[in-house]
Amino acid sequence: MAGFRHFWPLALVWRALAAIVLIASSALAQAADYTGPLFDAHLHYNEEAWDGNTGPHPPADVLARMQASGVRAIVANSRPNAGSLTLAALPQTRAAGVTVVPFVRLYRSRADYTGWFADDSIYDMVLAELARGTAAGPYRGIGEFHLYDSANANGPVAKKLMALAEQRDLVVLAHVDDVAIDLLMAHTPSQGQKLRLVWAHTGIGGAPVERVDALMARYPGLVGELSYRPGLVCDDNQLCPAWRMLLLKYPTRFVIGSDTWVNQRWQHYESLMQGYRQWLGGLPPDVARKVAWDNAAGLLGVARP
């Protein structure tokens, strides 16, 4: 009996600790969804979506989806740029409470996806668009562009565009692998120390979290955009542990986006945004607000609604 009396308090301690862990886990699982404004930092309004108002997703449709989702600002980059210019010019966009931040996309048609990095006519088009500007003000960035082979980051036009972006303080939106991040940064006057580059999908090919961490540490202007990112969310619709730790380590360096590259993404736009709200709700409120809005807004000079 003496031995039993000796260990009984310890048993109580373990039971109490187990109860605390259970309560904490339950609270995390039942965390309320984030309810603040969202900044969609990777949005396309491509010709197949609207086609001059005759497509399946005319401006009224996409603006209603943004408004229903609490999206109050977007980075618009479209193939061709006419889609972004349309959203930027419409009074309905302002009426919906949506701020358009226009980027120059490098694609006039799908044919440009695979050769833009060596096509001087693309560089000339970018210069012409930058000179023209938009109804929502000057272009704030270049991209999204793709590099299906990281070595093409060394193409002559890729080199010129990276230098141009840094010289003009333009943000770059790049769908590339981790090797290409290093190559692109090397083409800037500062060797990547001043360029602001949003890494679309933060490596859609699945670069390990450790590699993402190393690149974040190396390049202070590197920002991770989180659409389509493999391994980001676990079965409970919350961030997987490694990604949660990374966002907490770099709370000012991540943004969210819809990547409406095909019409199906528009059809599910509201559920995409709701998915973000779920895992944002599991973060500390100040971090959730940064990832949802403040980081993109600060990067692109947009006031909080």
Side-chain angles (χ1 to χ4, degrees):
M1 292 298 291
F4 180 81
R5 287 195 299 271
H6 177 74
F7 286 106
W8 177 244
L10 184 60
L12 285 177
V13 170
W14 280 113
R15 288 176 62 183
L17 286 174
I20 291 170
V21 170
L22 182 63
I23 291 169
S25 300
S26 177
L28 180 61
Q30 298 176 13
D33 293 348
Y34 170 79
T35 59
L38 298 179
F39 198 128
D40 186 342
H42 183 169
L43 180 142
H44 307 294
Y45 196 39
N46 294 335
E47 60 183 351
E48 59 266 27
W50 70 293
D51 193 23
N53 287 337
T54 64
H57 298 288
D61 174 79
V62 299
L63 289 170
R65 292 175 187 274
M66 294 176 207
Q67 195 169 35
S69 302
V71 171
R72 302 297 302 274
I74 60 171
V75 166
N77 67 108
S78 309
R79 171 185 38 80
N81 287 298
S84 299
L85 294 171
T86 295
L87 288 178
L90 286 174
Q92 294 94 319
T93 304
R94 294 184 291 278
V98 176
T99 297
V100 174
V101 180
F103 276 32
V104 182
R105 201 164 193 206
L106 307 188
Y107 307 146
R108 299 157 298 192
S109 69
R110 288 191 179 275
D112 290 330
Y113 279 56
T114 55
W116 66 268
F117 46 84
D119 186 344
D120 275 316
S121 71
I122 295 291
Y123 187 75
D124 294 339
M125 181 267 288
V126 170
L127 292 178
E129 286 290 341
L130 291 174
R132 177 170 67 162
T134 81
Y139 285 102
R140 315 275 187 88
I142 296 172
E144 179 199 21
F145 60 74
H146 300 72
L147 287 172
Y148 301 113
D149 182 343
S150 55
N152 290 328
N154 292 325
V157 172
K159 290 181 178 180
K160 289 196 293 185
L161 285 174
M162 292 306 99
L164 177 74
E166 184 171 294
Q167 290 161 357
R168 298 201 182 186
D169 198 25
L170 297 168
V171 178
V172 173
L173 177 59
H175 177 138
V176 300
D177 64 15
D178 57 305
V179 175
I181 291 291
D182 281 323
L183 295 175
L184 292 171
M185 292 295 194
H187 299 318
T188 67
S190 71
Q191 298 290 292
Q193 295 307 295
K194 294 182 179 178
L195 181 70
R196 298 178 298 159
L197 190 151
V198 176
W199 190 4
H201 321 299
T202 319
I204 197 169
V209 171
E210 296 78 10
R211 173 66 168 152
V212 177
D213 189 350
L215 289 170
M216 290 275 178
R218 185 176 304 161
Y219 303 115
L222 182 63
V223 173
E225 185 270 319
L226 295 170
S227 65
Y228 277 113
R229 212 309 167 174
L232 180 70
V233 177
C234 285
D235 292 339
D236 57 358
N237 293 320
Q238 294 295 314
L239 291 171
C240 294
W243 278 96
R244 179 182 171 84
M245 290 177 63
L246 193 65
L247 265 67
L248 293 176
K249 182 176 181 179
Y250 298 105
T252 64
R253 304 280 292 281
F254 288 96
V255 298
I256 60 170
S258 61
D259 191 16
T260 47
W261 68 286
V262 291
N263 286 345
Q264 184 183 31
R265 297 286 284 184
W266 278 118
Q267 293 160 14
H268 299 286
Y269 189 86
E270 293 92 333
S271 63
L272 291 172
M273 294 298 108
Q274 181 56 33
Y276 282 127
R277 289 189 180 280
Q278 285 182 316
W279 63 252
L280 285 167
L283 289 169
D286 62 325
V287 177
R289 185 178 63 251
K290 288 181 173 70
V291 176
W293 178 270
D294 291 352
N295 295 344
L299 183 70
L300 298 162
V302 176
R304 188 173 178 84

